Amino acid sequence: MKIIFVRKSGTNWALHLTRKAALIGLTAAIGVTAGTVAYYETNSTEVDAKVVDAWRTKLREQEALVVDLARKSEDKSAAVGRQLAQMQARLLRMEALGTHMADAADLDDQEFDFGSIPAQGGPIDSNQASMNWADLSAEIDNLSAQLKKREIELRILDDVLVNEDIKESAIVAGRPVRWGWLSSPYGQRVDPITGGTGWHAGVDFAGRDGSDVIAVASGVVTFSGNRSGYGKMVEISHGNGYVTRYAHHKTLTVAAGDVVDKGQTIGTMGSSGRSTGPHVHFEVLKHGRTVDPAKYVATRS
């Protein structure tokens, strides 16, 4: 076999090989080529696998980061939701307290309507910007603290007003009957039964048999029953050393230990005990001593 090689100058030269030598050379060339291809194929596969593994690792890390961010976002949303629910509950309580106080103070319903949203407005600020999460969270925390403080202040104010109302209702003032007339004054008088002179420790109000006898102030019933000379009697303690007595009832509607309100019916007018007809004997005691009920009867609460 003859192989011709061409030089760069254009001349050529020939190489004479035997058939056997030519076959050995060709086989060697094919082997080298196959080996080279196999080597690059193997190395290419290894490179691709490493790249894929690296990307898979990065994807797993990013997926974990996304899950963590989602969890944190859900936690923050849940926390804000709980805080908003607490604020809403406080607002409802404040509205109820405000409505109660407005009713108790007889305030104008239109001016103090706690069920409506207060009117607001004004020109838009050209520098307005969206509120970021940190600022929003801070504003919610601040509003929650203010609501809690205002709720406490409103409750204290309501308690003060209620206590003042209780104190006012406990002041002894007014008549012990809804209808009737003064039939006997306090002090020295002619006894209506014996005709002699004697001390009258209260005032008498005559009226219709069975008509209402009412408490002149709020307090606690300390006695309800029969007492010598008084017949069926009710005694009420009002605090600050004041006690009132209501005697000669036909029937009693309260018992010892009952808490009564000002103007509440405590019995019906009768003639039980030492009496000449339907009336209520009314006494006012201050620190254990009877005083003239006239000034308390004349006072209107």
Side-chain angles (χ1 to χ4, degrees):
M1 175 180 286
K2 183 172 65 175
I3 299 175
I4 299 173
F5 295 93
V6 179
R7 298 185 178 92
K8 290 182 179 182
S9 61
T11 60
N12 57 68
W13 60 280
L15 177 64
H16 294 274
L17 296 173
T18 62
R19 186 180 181 86
K20 184 176 180 181
L23 287 174
I24 291 173
L26 182 60
T27 302
I30 293 173
V32 170
T33 303
T36 302
V37 171
Y39 171 80
Y40 280 109
E41 285 183 350
T42 302
N43 286 348
S44 177
T45 302
E46 288 178 358
V47 170
D48 289 344
K50 289 179 180 178
V51 171
V52 169
D53 288 342
W55 277 108
R56 284 176 178 172
T57 301
K58 289 184 178 181
L59 285 174
R60 283 194 294 268
E61 291 174 354
Q62 291 176 355
E63 286 175 358
L65 181 60
V66 169
V67 170
D68 184 58
L69 289 174
R71 180 183 57 78
K72 289 180 178 178
S73 178
E74 289 176 359
D75 291 343
K76 284 187 177 180
S77 297
V80 171
R82 288 192 296 270
Q83 197 167 14
L84 289 175
Q86 292 173 0
M87 291 165 61
Q88 186 178 24
R90 290 196 184 105
L91 279 174
L92 290 174
R93 285 196 293 267
M94 290 174 67
E95 287 177 4
L97 281 170
T99 302
H100 169 68
M101 292 172 63
D103 291 341
D106 197 23
L107 299 176
D108 188 353
D109 292 339
Q110 293 183 348
E111 185 177 358
F112 293 93
D113 183 7
F114 288 88
S116 63
I117 299 174
Q120 295 177 323
I124 189 169
D125 184 2
S126 59
N127 296 322
Q128 275 189 0
S130 299
M131 188 176 293
N132 59 46
W133 178 263
D135 291 340
L136 177 61
S137 181
E139 286 292 331
I140 291 176
D141 290 341
N142 184 43
L143 180 59
S144 179
Q146 289 184 18
L147 283 176
K148 189 174 182 179
K149 181 180 178 181
R150 295 295 179 268
E151 182 187 2
I152 293 173
E153 291 174 349
L154 198 58
R155 282 188 174 183
I156 292 173
L157 181 58
D158 186 55
D159 288 342
V160 169
L161 291 178
V162 169
N163 289 334
E164 288 297 324
D165 186 56
I166 291 173
K167 288 178 182 178
E168 183 178 350
S169 68
I171 296 174
V172 176
R175 292 155 54 99
V177 294
R178 301 188 192 279
W179 179 89
W181 65 92
L182 186 67
S183 59
S184 182
Y186 173 83
Q188 201 72 25
R189 69 169 184 172
V190 176
D191 189 284
I193 297 176
T194 65
T197 59
W199 182 259
H200 189 220
V203 294
D204 293 339
F205 284 91
R208 187 174 60 251
D209 185 52
S211 60
D212 289 343
V213 177
I214 62 175
V216 299
S218 60
V220 179
V221 177
T222 54
F223 180 87
S224 179
N226 287 288
R227 181 173 291 183
S228 178
Y230 289 93
K232 293 179 179 178
M233 188 194 81
V234 173
E235 184 176 274
I236 302 174
S237 174
H238 307 284
N240 294 323
Y242 281 95
V243 174
T244 53
R245 289 175 180 166
Y246 313 77
H248 308 302
H249 289 84
K250 182 176 185 177
T251 59
L252 302 174
T253 58
V254 293
D258 287 350
V259 177
V260 295
D261 295 325
K262 185 179 183 69
Q264 179 179 332
T265 299
I266 59 175
T268 57
M269 188 179 292
S271 188
S272 61
R274 192 171 182 271
S275 170
T276 60
H279 76 286
V280 57
H281 171 79
F282 176 59
E283 291 182 12
V284 176
L285 292 87
K286 185 175 181 180
H287 300 297
R289 299 170 62 91
T290 61
V291 294
D292 189 354
K295 67 176 183 179
Y296 300 99
V297 169
T299 303
R300 292 290 183 267
S301 59

